[in-house]
Amino acid sequence: MIHKSIFPLLLMSLMPVAAMAQTGTEKEPVAYIGGEICNPRLHDGGFRYAIGTENIQVMRANRTHPEKAEGFGWTYNHAQNMTYWNGTFYLEFLSNPKDEQQPPGHTLVVTSKDGRNWGMPQVAFPEYKAPKGVTFPKGYYGYIMHQRMGFYTAPNGRLLIVGFYGHSYNPFKEGGIGRVAREIYKDGTMGPIYFIRYSSHTTWNQSNTSYPFYTQSKDKGFRKACDDLLCDKLKTLQWIDEDRGLDGFYTLKDSINRVQATSYFHRKDGKVVALWKWSYAALSADEGESWSTPVRCPSLIMAGGKQWGQRTKDGRYAICYNPIETQPYRYPLIAITSNDGITFDSMCVVHGEVPPRRFMGENKDFGPCYVRGITEGEQQPEGNDMWLTYSVNKEDIWVSRVQLPVKTTWEGPVGDDFDQIEAGGKIPNWNIYRTRWCGVYVNNDHQLCLTDSDKYDYARAIRVFETNQKADIAFDLKVEKEYDDPFEIDLTDRHGTRAVSLAFKDGDIKNMGEVIGHYKIGEWKHITLSFENGQLHFEDHVYPTLHAVKDIERISFRTGEYRDLPDRNTPNQQQMPPLPGCDEQINPSVYNIDNLIIQ
């Protein structure tokens, strides 16, 4: 006979088994089992990096010189979506002059042939102008764009770009007007705008809106593409929180009326996983004809930022999101990976930088947020990469090229001379942070070049190497031009703790403020340094380290000082003018690196 005092212990021992038993079911469609948690003091959360990820700034907002940005000088830019079609990347984002969901608003589209070099944004859906005699509903005062879905490649090969017109301040439900679509042609031009679905909460129709219904188009191929989109239960589920479908259009029974920003993927077992903000998920076994009740997955820690899930080109799975519950602070952007689409681990950094927010605006959360990728069923670009898009501080638009398979650790020595990389080409195994005004690229002489002409940001290149308590590092460095900021080289552990931070400025090499060496502008300098027994060895001398760490695994080259602001105490809604001079480029600094050897 078991004594009754033992029962609580038995129940506790069974709890992990019960929790594991429900993972993958309707009670918990997906789970993160890696155990890593975010360090809220660090912009990268203290996680390891997804090796070889390239962060690329697509559009840098500029109020003074719109021709350098998106042509209008608007500084709230957000809600981006992307696809790939006929050899071209397409990226759409909505834009408002200053604040979230404040009129006027429109949607822009920008293209790239390689995903790494982007053109000038063009208007896809202009500011909405109501027909004569139509006034705002009570409680609303302007029109804006909103979008949870961006593109659809129809079975007949037509590419549609879609968006949602609504009223400010709340474009959902009664504030919504409807979904619009237009075709993007192969030459990059766009067809007429049509409504494809009106909000089911209102009485909008073709008689009182500014664009005709799609059935009025004389193009049979366009109408067929719209019909196919409307019949696709997975694609259209992305629209649900803008409408909620009083007419039964959506098969998901959202009794909590809470799910927002759908993304989805097919698991290895064939079931479809739908993911939403605030850690919600659901399952469908019949291609979206019916769904389980949305539930919160407790192991996915997140707030109101979007999460993105997909099957990657290497046959594995990834979910990307901001792993923090603090709403106004959406950093870092991470990925977790899986073999089966059910249990995920290996949380790692995709984008771990948070530059200063240059322009004040309502609800402009700090960091990389609202991540999206290329939806299932769309064409895929060449190369073994995962492509993601997001905004930073809700003012600049970015993409990331994540090298597959996603790896966080390196084995063996490093020997990078860049000789086999074409000028401007991808740089394998390096983590790159590249803005419009701060370049990171291989130059014509096959050297890694970092440039910086931004007063408030920097270029950065990180090389992960094998984790060890001892490392011997050698490379060639030429400081070609320098201006206000120092060039900093860090050695860090797996959590980003800086064991060593060397600063190059005005001919001096400094360690913790002490001059330990010299260089000359325009001349190559061969640098050798070692980390051993918690000490820095540089030019036959031993120096103390910045922080005590057990081992190291990353070297970082950065064209500016280390930053930890904004942090999670930085006010998000405090009124302030734009950062002085933020719309003007400064004289460029230029640094060249070659022949990096780590062993």
Side-chain angles (χ1 to χ4, degrees):
M1 183 176 179
I2 301 175
H3 192 276
K4 64 181 181 179
S5 65
I6 303 297
F7 282 125
L9 297 176
L10 289 174
L11 288 173
M12 290 178 65
S13 68
L14 291 174
M15 284 177 65
V17 177
M20 289 298 293
Q22 74 176 6
T23 299
T25 70
E26 296 179 357
K27 295 182 179 179
E28 189 182 31
V30 295
Y32 170 62
I33 62 171
E36 294 269 11
I37 59 174
C38 184
N39 182 342
R41 295 183 296 105
L42 302 176
H43 286 176
D44 62 10
F47 299 114
R48 281 185 158 133
Y49 279 64
I51 294 175
T53 296
E54 183 178 14
N55 303 145
I56 304 156
Q57 189 178 65
V58 173
M59 192 282 298
R60 182 190 188 278
N62 193 312
R63 188 170 289 171
T64 309
H65 304 289
E67 70 281 1
K68 294 183 178 181
E70 40 43 283
F72 293 85
W74 293 5
T75 56
Y76 179 90
N77 302 287
H78 192 42
Q80 55 293 316
N81 295 282
M82 73 183 306
T83 197
Y84 183 81
W85 181 73
N86 283 349
T88 301
F89 287 86
Y90 292 84
L91 190 159
E92 75 161 15
F93 61 96
L94 62 78
S95 185
N96 300 344
K98 181 177 177 287
D99 302 302
E100 184 175 58
Q101 296 186 12
Q102 295 294 336
H106 58 200
T107 290
L108 305 173
V109 63
V110 58
T111 63
S112 171
K113 287 297 182 182
D114 60 5
R116 303 176 63 248
N117 299 281
W118 293 81
M120 183 73 177
Q122 306 295 321
V123 174
F125 297 110
E127 298 174 41
Y128 186 81
K129 299 185 183 304
K132 186 177 181 179
V134 175
T135 58
F136 298 125
K138 185 178 181 180
Y140 300 99
Y141 59 92
Y143 302 105
I144 57 172
M145 283 299 300
H146 195 271
Q147 57 231 12
R148 296 300 199 203
M149 174 189 175
F151 301 95
Y152 175 70
T153 301
N156 64 5
R158 303 288 187 101
L159 176 64
L160 303 182
I161 182 170
V162 297
F164 188 80
Y165 279 116
H167 293 89
S168 182
Y169 177 75
N170 186 350
F172 306 101
K173 294 184 179 178
E174 294 85 356
I177 299 173
R179 184 90 35 197
V180 283
R182 66 191 307 189
E183 184 174 354
I184 298 179
Y185 302 127
K186 290 183 179 180
D187 65 358
T189 61
M190 290 177 281
I193 299 173
Y194 293 90
F195 275 97
I196 190 172
R197 176 173 164 79
Y198 300 107
S199 173
S200 61
H201 293 259
T202 63
T203 58
W204 299 114
N205 55 53
Q206 188 167 249
S207 69
N208 56 14
T209 52
S210 295
Y211 302 110
F213 199 55
Y214 81 95
T215 55
Q216 300 301 305
S217 172
K218 296 180 180 180
D219 186 336
K220 292 182 180 179
F222 174 74
R223 296 201 308 269
K224 183 65 168 61
C226 291
D227 287 336
D228 288 335
L229 173 55
L230 290 167
C231 291
D232 192 320
K233 295 300 182 183
L234 296 178
K235 292 290 193 299
T236 55
L237 187 62
Q238 297 173 95
W239 305 351
I240 188 170
D241 51 316
E242 290 164 318
D243 181 4
R244 299 293 178 188
L246 296 180
D247 55 357
F249 179 79
Y250 303 104
T251 55
L252 177 72
K253 303 299 185 289
D254 181 16
S255 59
I256 56 175
N257 207 29
R258 180 68 182 273
V259 298
Q260 301 176 54
T262 306
S263 76
Y264 67 89
F265 63 89
H266 285 75
R267 296 191 319 198
K268 193 172 184 179
D269 62 7
K271 291 184 179 180
V272 182
V273 179
L275 301 172
W276 295 283
K277 294 182 179 184
W278 300 102
S279 311
Y280 279 100
L283 288 178
S284 174
D286 53 12
E287 297 298 307
E289 293 296 330
S290 62
W291 292 91
S292 64
T293 301
V295 295
R296 296 191 75 170
C297 299
S299 59
L300 301 182
I301 305 300
M302 67 185 70
K306 295 178 181 177
Q307 58 171 320
W308 173 260
Q310 71 170 81
R311 186 172 187 176
T312 50
K313 293 180 73 174
D314 58 353
R316 303 187 73 236
Y317 298 85
I319 297 177
C320 306
Y321 58 97
N322 307 118
I324 193 74
E325 291 180 304
T326 310
Q327 174 75 343
Y329 309 98
R330 294 177 178 171
Y331 57 86
L333 175 60
I334 59 88
I336 54 178
T337 54
S338 170
N339 288 322
D340 58 10
I342 298 174
T343 56
F344 291 76
D345 59 9
S346 299
M347 186 173 289
C348 55
V349 176
V350 171
H351 185 115
E353 298 286 345
V354 187
R357 186 180 59 192
R358 303 185 303 278
F359 303 97
M360 173 61 194
E362 187 174 22
N363 296 329
K364 290 186 66 177
D365 301 332
F366 296 115
C369 54
Y370 269 32
V371 59
R372 298 282 91 176
I374 298 175
T375 309
E376 275 190 359
E378 301 293 297
Q379 295 177 20
Q380 295 292 322
E382 295 182 1
N384 200 31
D385 303 300
M386 174 173 65
W387 288 90
L388 303 169
T389 182
Y390 46 92
S391 67
V392 171
N393 298 339
K394 294 189 180 181
E395 70 186 22
D396 303 325
I397 304 299
W398 287 73
V399 297
S400 281
R401 181 186 59 83
V402 183
Q403 183 175 293
L404 298 176
V406 176
K407 292 183 178 181
T408 59
T409 58
W410 185 265
E411 295 181 0
V414 170
D416 293 341
D417 59 15
F418 312 105
D419 289 347
Q420 304 306 312
I421 302 176
E422 65 180 19
K426 298 182 201 178
I427 309 172
N429 306 319
W430 283 74
N431 289 72
I432 302 299
Y433 176 75
R434 172 166 65 87
T435 79
R436 299 287 289 195
W437 291 358
C438 299
V440 182
Y441 59 92
V442 171
N443 62 20
N444 292 326
D445 294 322
H446 298 282
Q447 300 144 1
L448 181 63
C449 184
L450 283 71
T451 68
D452 186 345
S453 58
D454 194 323
K455 186 177 180 178
Y456 293 102
D457 212 342
Y458 50 59
R460 191 179 187 190
I462 297 171
R463 187 56 161 95
V464 177
F465 53 87
E466 187 170 318
T467 308
N468 212 301
Q469 296 179 5
K470 179 181 185 300
D472 297 318
I473 301 170
F475 58 91
D476 298 318
L477 173 67
K478 180 170 71 171
V479 179
E480 193 169 311
K481 297 179 183 179
E482 66 175 10
Y483 289 95
D484 295 337
D485 292 329
F487 183 68
E488 294 194 344
I489 300 174
D490 297 338
L491 299 180
T492 81
D493 69 358
R494 61 164 298 180
H495 300 293
T497 303
R498 294 178 297 154
V500 173
S501 185
L502 302 180
F504 292 68
K505 186 74 170 65
D506 297 330
D508 293 333
I509 305 172
K510 294 183 178 180
N511 174 60
M512 299 171 61
E514 177 187 359
V515 177
I516 63 173
H518 301 279
Y519 65 94
K520 292 183 178 180
I521 299 293
E523 294 185 7
W524 285 98
K525 181 176 180 64
H526 184 67
I527 293 176
T528 60
L529 55 93
S530 297
F531 178 84
E532 185 175 5
N533 298 324
Q535 294 179 312
L536 167 65
H537 298 252
F538 182 82
E539 294 187 349
D540 300 324
H541 292 82
V542 178
Y543 299 96
T545 56
L546 185 62
H547 296 104
V549 299
K550 180 181 178 182
D551 44 42
I552 56 173
E553 66 171 43
R554 298 200 293 267
I555 184 168
S556 164
F557 300 92
R558 188 177 53 242
T559 64
E561 294 181 318
Y562 174 82
R563 63 187 175 205
D564 54 11
L565 295 174
D567 62 19
R568 300 190 190 276
N569 295 315
T570 302
N572 188 46
Q573 296 298 316
Q574 182 177 347
Q575 293 295 325
M576 60 184 66
L579 296 182
C582 66
D583 285 343
E584 307 295 335
Q585 289 180 265
I586 59 176
N587 291 327
S589 299
V590 182
Y591 309 91
N592 296 308
I593 299 163
D594 206 358
N595 303 315
L596 174 67
I597 298 174
I598 305 174
Q599 53 188 1

